[in-house]
Amino acid sequence: MKDFTWLNPTMVIFGEGKVPQIADRLAAMGAKSVLLVYGGKSIFKNGVYTQVTEALTKKGIAFPELGGVKSNPTIDKVREGVARVKAVMVDAIVPIGGGSVFDTAKAIAAGAFYDGDVWELFEGKASELKRALPLFGVLTASATSSEVNNISVISNPEKSLKISFNSPFIYPRVSIIDPTMQFSLPEAQTVNGGIDVIVHAMERIFVGDTGTELMDELGYALIRSMIKIIPELRKDPRNYAARAQYAWAASLAHNGSLSCGRGEKGDFSSHKLGHSLSLLFNVPHGASLSVMTPAWAQYLYRDHPAPFARFADAVFGVEAEDEESTALEGIKLLEGFFRSLGAPTTLRELKIGEADIERLAQNAAQVAPFGTLKSLEAEDIIEIYKLAY
Amino acid sequence: MKDFTWLNPTMVIFGEGKVPQIADRLAAMGAKSVLLVYGGKSIFKNGVYTQVTEALTKKGIAFPELGGVKSNPTIDKVREGVARVKAVMVDAIVPIGGGSVFDTAKAIAAGAFYDGDVWELFEGKASELKRALPLFGVLTASATSSEVNNISVISNPEKSLKISFNSPFIYPRVSIIDPTMQFSLPEAQTVNGGIDVIVHAMERIFVGDTGTELMDELGYALIRSMIKIIPELRKDPRNYAARAQYAWAASLAHNGSLSCGRGEKGDFSSHKLGHSLSLLFNVPHGASLSVMTPAWAQYLYRDHPAPFARFADAVFGVEAEDEESTALEGIKLLEGFFRSLGAPTTLRELKIGEADIERLAQNAAQVAPFGTLKSLEAEDIIEIYKLAY
C-alpha cells in the first residue's frame, strides 16, 4: 500500500422519492437563489424537473436555468454558465442530469470565482482556486461518479482537447440518487454507462504491484456485480434492485475509494484513448471504452501477464494452462461480454476508417505519455488504435 | 437496496511517517490546547507519544493528558475526562491508541458539551447533542473502525452494561494511520482485531435479502483478504503490505460503507452476545467474537440456510450437495480458521463454566430482543450460549 489521504465530503441521499430533499438541503444552508443546470428533454419527461422546481418554489428559492448541456460537454456551455453567475451571483449550482451535466456544473461552480477564462482551470490553473460555489445535485443517469468526486471532464473543440481538472472545492456537497429516475434511460445509455463503470474499476487494478490485493478484491467484486446487473437491466429496465445497485456501483467505482493505497490513482489509458474517439467522431463515452479497453489490454498483456491473468481468474474464473493464455482468455471474455451487450468493440463498427487512425493517434498523443502499467508514447498509441481497428 | 444516506466526513491520512501531521492539522484549525487521551505504556515504547508531543510543541499547542484507558473501556475514565475539559476547556481531543482510546475520547468530546452525566448519552440522550469537541486521532491498533465512524462503545460495570451511542458530531475530523506503529502489537491483539474485522463485515451480510448482492460481494472480498492477511502477520508482524491492508480493511469494515442499502445496518448479535463475555469475564473483544459468532451461526443456519451457504461459497469456495450442508461446512471452516489462529471458539477455553451460562444469558437479555436475521429473545440467547459452551 502506498501512502494516501482519503476524504470524500459528499453526502449521498439515495432512494426512491428523495429528489425533493434537494430543496430542504439548500434551504438549510440558507440558499435564496440557485442556478439549475441540465441537458435536454429527459428531465421534463421523467418528472424530475417538476419535482425539483416545485420543491424549490415551496422553499422560496429562485432558480435561473441553464439547459442544453450535451453529452461530451463543451467549454462554451461552461463559459455561458460562468458569465451568467458572474453577472448575477447565485448561492449554489444545482446540476440535474448525468455526468455531463455534473461536469459542466462543477466547472461553472469553480469558474464563478476564477478571474481568467475558465478553460485555464483545465490547463493547470485549478490549483490556484480558493473556493467554488457549492454544488447540490440530482443524478438522473449513473456512470461517471461525477456526483461523488472532484473531477470535471470537458471538451474544447477549438483545441481538439477533452481533458479534466480536479479540485477539492468541486465535490458536490449533496447528491441525490433516486434510481427510479433512471428507469426510462435508453438501453444504449445503460450499456455505455455500465461499461464506463467496469472500466473505472479496471483502471485502478492495473497499476502494477502495489501490495493492494485488498483493493483489487474490492474492484473485482464491483466488476463481477456489474457483469450480472447490466444484462438484468437490459431485460427489465425497471428492476429496482438492479437499477439501484448499478447506480451505487457507479458511484463507488470512481469516487476515489478504489484508488486508496495505489500511489498512482489508476491507469487511465483506456479513457484517454477513448477521449479522442469522442472528440473527433462524437463516439459515446462508453462505446469509446468498449473499443479501446480490449485493444489496450491486448497490446499490454504479453509484457504484463500477471495482472491480466489475475483479472481473468477473479472476474471470469478462467484457469488456462499458463499465465499468458489465462490473461488472453480473460481479455477475450471481457470483449465478448461487451459484444453481448450490443456494444462496439472495433473502430470499424464505429465507421472509423483505417485512414483515420493516424489522426486519432496524433490527437491522443497530445497528452502523451500516459498510463501507469506502461507509459504510452506516440508509437504505442498508434499500435493500440490499429489493434482496435 | 433500501434507502440510505451516506456521508463520512473523516479525513484519513495513511502511511509511514504521517503521525506528526496531526499537529499541522490541529494548527490549521487554530487549536491552542488539546487533551491527549491514551492507554498504557505501548505509545511510549513505539515512539508515537514522542512523535505527537514533539510535533505539538513545535506548533505551540499545549497538551494536558489523560492516560490509563483500558481495553473494554469504562465510563469512569470518560467521566474523568469530561470533568477535566469542563474545568479547563480545550480546543480538541486527541486520542492516541486503538479502539478503546478512540471510544473513550469520543465520549469525552460529546460529554464536554452535555449538561447531565455523560452516561445518559448511552441511554438514549445522544440525539439531544448539539455539538462535540473536534477529534483528531492517531491510531495505533486497527480493529474497531472507531477512527472512522461515529460510534462509542463503553462499559458501565455498576450497571453491568457495555453499550454504545452514536452521533454525527463524534466522527473524528482527522485520523492518522501509520501501519508501522502496529508492528509491535502482541500477536493476540492482531488476531483478536482481525476477527473483529471479519465479524464486522459478516454482520452486514446477514440481514436478510435486501437486493444488495453488490454490497455482499464487497463484504466477501474484505473477508477473503483478511483470511489471507492475518496468517501473514502471524508469520511476520512487520510485513508492511499486510499490516497496511489489515489496517485499511479494519477501517472499511465498520465505517458504514458496507451498510449502504441494507436498511438495518447489520445483525450485531455476535457483538451483543460477546459484550456480555467481556463485561462479566473481561474476555478480549475479538476472543468473545471467535466464540460467539460460530455459535450464533450454528443456531440460525437451519432456518436461514441461503445466506450462510452463499457465505460458505464466496469465502471458502464450498460446494456441498445441498444448501444446508454447504452452510454448515462454511461455519465449520470459519470456526476452524479462528482456531488456526489460536483463538478460542468455546466458552470452556475461556474457563467459563456451564454454571455461568445463565448469568451470561441474563446479562445479554437486558438489551434483547436484538438481531436482524432473527430477532433473538431470552430463550434464544441461552441456547446460543449453550452451543458456545
Side-chain angles (χ1 to χ4, degrees):
Chain A
M1 294 265 273
K2 303 288 176 69
D3 298 352
F4 63 92
T5 298
W6 166 253
L7 175 68
N8 188 309
T10 301
M11 172 186 279
V12 174
I13 302 173
F14 191 104
E16 182 169 3
K18 302 294 186 195
V19 171
Q21 291 192 16
I22 198 76
D24 305 331
R25 298 290 165 173
L26 284 161
M29 69 146 302
K32 300 285 177 222
S33 169
V34 301
L35 180 70
L36 299 191
V37 178
Y38 53 82
K41 295 167 207 152
S42 65
I43 68 161
F44 298 102
K45 275 198 228 159
N46 64 15
V48 66
Y49 176 85
T50 310
Q51 287 185 50
V52 172
T53 53
E54 282 184 2
L56 290 173
T57 303
K58 265 189 209 156
K59 295 283 178 188
I61 299 170
F63 47 88
E65 305 184 24
L66 181 75
V69 175
K70 300 218 162 54
S71 61
N72 297 320
T74 54
I75 192 65
D76 54 324
K77 184 58 75 177
V78 174
R79 289 191 180 117
E80 190 185 334
V82 171
R84 196 119 159 205
V85 296
K86 280 190 173 173
V88 183
M89 194 44 85
V90 294
D91 300 312
I93 309 282
V94 176
I96 311 172
S100 302
V101 169
F102 273 76
D103 283 0
T104 301
K106 286 163 152 179
I108 295 170
F113 296 120
Y114 182 73
D115 283 337
D117 173 36
V118 63
W119 181 251
E120 294 169 14
L121 296 175
F122 293 83
E123 293 188 321
K125 298 281 191 168
S127 58
E128 294 178 11
L129 281 173
K130 296 274 181 296
R131 58 187 291 210
L133 279 168
L135 291 141
F136 288 71
V138 176
L139 188 71
T140 62
S142 290
T144 69
S145 306
S146 189
E147 70 282 6
V148 287
N149 69 27
N150 63 344
I151 307 167
S152 168
V153 187
I154 296 290
S155 295
N156 185 328
E158 283 165 34
K159 302 207 169 191
S160 287
L161 279 172
K162 179 176 180 177
I163 53 178
S164 66
F165 83 98
N166 62 63
S167 161
F169 302 111
I170 61 168
Y171 279 104
R173 204 169 288 188
V174 173
S175 281
I176 298 198
I177 305 176
D178 176 346
T180 68
M181 294 295 118
Q182 306 191 30
F183 280 174
S184 54
L185 284 181
E187 181 179 305
Q189 200 170 338
T190 298
V191 167
N192 283 331
I195 291 167
D196 195 18
V197 172
I198 290 171
V199 175
H200 282 149
M202 283 183 67
E203 286 176 328
R204 279 157 182 85
I205 292 169
F206 291 94
V207 292
D209 185 13
T210 49
T212 46
E213 293 81 0
L214 166 70
M215 308 310 295
D216 295 348
E217 280 273 10
L218 295 172
Y220 299 141
L222 197 145
I223 293 168
R224 280 194 304 267
S225 294
M226 286 302 292
I227 285 175
K228 273 191 209 161
I229 291 166
I230 305 170
E232 283 173 15
L233 285 176
R234 290 182 77 210
K235 257 187 236 158
D236 176 10
R238 306 175 74 85
N239 175 335
Y240 184 84
R243 198 54 93 175
Q245 291 184 73
Y246 178 112
W248 193 228
S251 291
L252 295 178
H254 199 23
N255 72 350
S257 60
L258 292 179
S259 296
C260 289
R262 296 199 187 275
E264 291 292 327
K265 302 219 169 222
D267 183 321
F268 299 107
S269 303
S270 301
H271 265 83
K272 289 195 170 147
L273 295 163
H275 282 173
S276 296
L277 299 188
S278 298
L279 197 66
L280 301 182
F281 298 95
N282 209 28
V283 174
H285 183 58
S288 80
L289 295 170
S290 62
V291 173
M292 295 316 303
T293 306
W296 165 83
Q298 273 164 42
Y299 185 68
L300 286 185
Y301 83 95
R302 275 192 208 87
D303 289 337
H304 305 272
F308 288 101
R310 281 178 49 219
F311 175 85
D313 175 23
V315 173
F316 295 108
V318 177
E319 289 176 40
E321 51 190 20
D322 59 43
E323 222 173 33
E324 202 173 301
S325 39
T326 305
L328 181 60
E329 180 66 15
I331 296 166
K332 280 186 185 162
L333 284 166
L334 181 71
E335 193 177 343
F337 174 68
F338 290 161
R339 266 201 307 275
S340 78
L341 302 174
T345 56
T346 62
L347 292 177
R348 256 173 299 187
E349 290 164 83
L350 299 171
K351 312 247 185 312
I352 295 174
E354 219 169 344
D356 298 315
I357 287 178
E358 199 157 314
R359 188 153 67 102
L360 274 170
Q362 274 171 5
N363 185 269
Q366 285 183 88
V367 289
F370 53 77
T372 311
L373 193 59
K374 176 177 168 61
S375 179
L376 303 175
E377 306 282 352
E379 62 266 28
D380 302 303
I381 290 167
I382 197 157
E383 292 306 317
I384 298 175
Y385 282 118
K386 281 182 191 166
L387 279 169
Y389 179 70
Chain B
M1 294 264 273
K2 302 289 176 69
D3 297 353
F4 64 92
T5 298
W6 166 253
L7 174 67
N8 187 309
T10 301
M11 172 186 279
V12 174
I13 302 174
F14 190 103
E16 184 171 0
K18 303 292 186 196
V19 170
Q21 292 192 15
I22 198 76
D24 306 331
R25 297 290 164 174
L26 284 161
M29 70 145 305
K32 300 284 177 222
S33 170
V34 302
L35 179 70
L36 299 191
V37 178
Y38 53 83
K41 295 167 208 150
S42 64
I43 68 161
F44 299 101
K45 276 197 230 161
N46 64 16
V48 66
Y49 176 86
T50 310
Q51 287 186 50
V52 172
T53 53
E54 283 184 1
L56 291 173
T57 303
K58 266 190 209 153
K59 295 282 178 189
I61 300 170
F63 49 87
E65 305 185 24
L66 181 76
V69 175
K70 299 217 162 53
S71 60
N72 296 321
T74 54
I75 191 65
D76 53 327
K77 184 57 78 178
V78 174
R79 289 192 181 116
E80 191 186 333
V82 171
R84 197 122 158 202
V85 297
K86 280 189 174 174
V88 183
M89 194 43 86
V90 293
D91 300 312
I93 309 282
V94 176
I96 312 173
S100 302
V101 169
F102 273 76
D103 284 1
T104 301
K106 285 162 153 180
I108 296 169
F113 296 121
Y114 182 72
D115 282 337
D117 173 37
V118 63
W119 181 253
E120 293 170 16
L121 296 175
F122 293 82
E123 292 189 320
K125 298 282 189 166
S127 58
E128 293 178 12
L129 282 173
K130 296 274 182 297
R131 57 187 293 211
L133 278 169
L135 291 142
F136 288 70
V138 176
L139 189 70
T140 63
S142 290
T144 69
S145 305
S146 189
E147 70 282 6
V148 287
N149 69 27
N150 63 344
I151 307 167
S152 168
V153 188
I154 297 288
S155 295
N156 186 328
E158 283 165 36
K159 301 206 170 191
S160 287
L161 279 173
K162 179 176 180 178
I163 54 177
S164 67
F165 83 97
N166 64 61
S167 160
F169 302 111
I170 61 168
Y171 279 104
R173 205 171 286 188
V174 172
S175 281
I176 299 202
I177 305 176
D178 176 345
T180 68
M181 294 294 118
Q182 306 192 29
F183 280 173
S184 54
L185 284 181
E187 180 179 304
Q189 201 171 337
T190 298
V191 167
N192 283 332
I195 291 167
D196 196 18
V197 172
I198 290 171
V199 175
H200 282 149
M202 282 182 68
E203 286 175 328
R204 279 156 184 85
I205 292 168
F206 291 94
V207 293
D209 184 14
T210 49
T212 46
E213 292 82 359
L214 166 70
M215 307 311 294
D216 294 349
E217 280 272 10
L218 295 172
Y220 299 140
L222 197 145
I223 293 168
R224 279 193 306 267
S225 294
M226 286 302 290
I227 286 175
K228 275 190 209 161
I229 291 165
I230 305 170
E232 283 173 12
L233 285 176
R234 289 182 77 211
K235 257 187 239 158
D236 176 10
R238 305 175 74 86
N239 175 336
Y240 183 85
R243 198 54 94 174
Q245 291 182 74
Y246 179 112
W248 192 229
S251 292
L252 295 177
H254 199 23
N255 71 350
S257 61
L258 292 179
S259 296
C260 289
R262 296 199 187 276
E264 290 293 327
K265 302 218 170 222
D267 183 319
F268 300 107
S269 303
S270 301
H271 264 83
K272 290 195 170 148
L273 295 163
H275 282 174
S276 295
L277 298 188
S278 298
L279 197 66
L280 301 182
F281 298 94
N282 209 29
V283 174
H285 182 59
S288 79
L289 294 171
S290 62
V291 173
M292 296 316 304
T293 305
W296 164 83
Q298 274 166 41
Y299 185 68
L300 286 185
Y301 82 95
R302 275 192 208 86
D303 290 337
H304 306 273
F308 289 100
R310 279 177 50 218
F311 174 84
D313 175 24
V315 173
F316 295 108
V318 177
E319 290 177 38
E321 51 189 19
D322 59 45
E323 222 171 35
E324 204 173 300
S325 39
T326 305
L328 180 60
E329 179 67 15
I331 296 166
K332 282 186 184 163
L333 284 166
L334 180 71
E335 194 177 343
F337 173 69
F338 291 161
R339 264 200 308 275
S340 77
L341 301 174
T345 56
T346 62
L347 292 177
R348 255 173 301 185
E349 291 163 83
L350 299 171
K351 313 247 188 303
I352 295 175
E354 218 169 343
D356 298 315
I357 286 178
E358 198 156 315
R359 188 152 66 103
L360 274 171
Q362 275 171 4
N363 185 269
Q366 285 183 88
V367 289
F370 53 78
T372 311
L373 193 59
K374 174 175 169 64
S375 181
L376 303 175
E377 306 282 352
E379 62 266 28
D380 303 303
I381 290 168
I382 197 158
E383 292 305 318
I384 298 173
Y385 281 118
K386 282 183 191 164
L387 279 170
Y389 179 69

